[in-house]
């Protein structure tokens, strides 16, 4: 987190934490910001020229792409959650406060893939502090070399 912060109150705080992780793991990072109700993806019902929410707030969404392997993209939504994509595998509804630990787990090598005989398939498992994990099913056609190298 950012200098001992337990909670990331804004999208910008999460972006700052992800920039620090990119620097820690010497990864390139590219950040794109969408600000305003007429720009963010979940505000498609906003009228033409309407930039603020009904409560007067200005929604802020950010897209973060990390360079290197694994290919990781993070879409931070104004509603305190995120979509994290790892090698084409999408993790929906990740709490914004979990995103830095999630990305750190990927870059530090803690994430792994489990294989199942029945039903046949694979899952990407990303452990977080506090004995929590995020798991997502991987279609066989999406099993990239990085994912294949982490099968247990």
């Amino acid at each position: 987190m950012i200098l001992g912060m337990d909670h990331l109150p804004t999208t910008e705080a999460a972006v700052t934490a992800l920039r620090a992780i990119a620097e820690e793991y010497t990864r390139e990072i590219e950040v794109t910001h969408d600000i305003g109700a007429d720009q963010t993806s979940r505000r498609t019902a906003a009228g033409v020229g309407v930039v603020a929410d009904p409560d007067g707030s200005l929604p802020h969404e950010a897209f973060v792409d990390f360079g290197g392997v694994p290919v990781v993209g993070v879409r931070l939504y104004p509603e305190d959650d995120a979509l994290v994509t790892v090698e084409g595998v999408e993790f929906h509804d990740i709490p914004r406060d979990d995103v830095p630990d999630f990305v750190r787990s990927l870059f530090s090598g803690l994430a792994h893939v489990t294989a199942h005989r029945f039903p046949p398939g694979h899952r990407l498992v990303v452990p977080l502090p506090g004995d929590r994990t995020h798991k997502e099913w991987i279609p066989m056609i999406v099993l990239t070399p990085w994912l294949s190298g982490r099968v247990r």
Side-chain angles (χ1 to χ4, degrees), residues 39-92:
Q39 298 294 315
T40 57
S41 64
R42 291 185 177 170
R43 303 295 202 292
T44 56
V48 176
V50 176
V51 295
D53 281 343
D55 65 356
S57 66
L58 198 61
H60 178 192
E61 185 172 294
F63 306 93
V64 180
D65 287 316
F66 291 93
V69 177
V71 176
V72 177
V74 178
R75 186 174 193 167
L76 295 160
Y77 296 111
E79 293 87 8
D80 297 339
D81 67 330
L83 166 69
V84 181
T85 306
V86 182
E87 294 283 320
V89 180
E90 293 183 343
F91 289 81
H92 294 272

Side-chain angles (χ1 to χ4, degrees), residues 3-144:
L3 301 172
M5 283 181 82
D6 294 340
H7 173 64
L8 298 171
T10 64
T11 299
E12 191 59 36
V15 169
T16 302
L18 292 175
R19 285 185 194 276
I21 291 170
E23 185 176 326
E24 178 183 343
Y25 289 96
T26 60
R27 299 280 184 133
E28 291 183 17
I29 186 171
E30 182 179 328
V31 180
T32 307
H33 298 274
D34 286 342
I35 300 173
D38 60 338
Q39 298 294 315
T40 57
S41 64
R42 291 185 177 170
R43 303 295 202 292
T44 56
V48 176
V50 176
V51 295
D53 281 343
D55 65 356
S57 66
L58 198 61
H60 178 192
E61 185 172 294
F63 306 93
V64 180
D65 287 316
F66 291 93
V69 177
V71 176
V72 177
V74 178
R75 186 174 193 167
L76 295 160
Y77 296 111
E79 293 87 8
D80 297 339
D81 67 330
L83 166 69
V84 181
T85 306
V86 182
E87 294 283 320
V89 180
E90 293 183 343
F91 289 81
H92 294 272
D93 302 323
I94 303 294
R96 181 168 50 210
D97 292 340
D98 287 350
V99 171
D101 289 330
F102 189 101
V103 172
R104 188 173 277 116
S105 182
L106 292 169
F107 293 162
S108 67
L110 293 175
H112 60 277
V113 174
T114 58
H116 300 279
R117 289 188 183 163
F118 189 80
H122 294 81
R123 288 194 184 275
L124 177 55
V125 179
V126 182
L128 298 178
D131 290 333
R132 297 176 300 135
T133 60
H134 289 283
K135 301 175 185 177
E136 195 61 48
W137 179 75
I138 306 170
M140 289 297 291
I141 59 172
V142 179
L143 207 56
T144 65

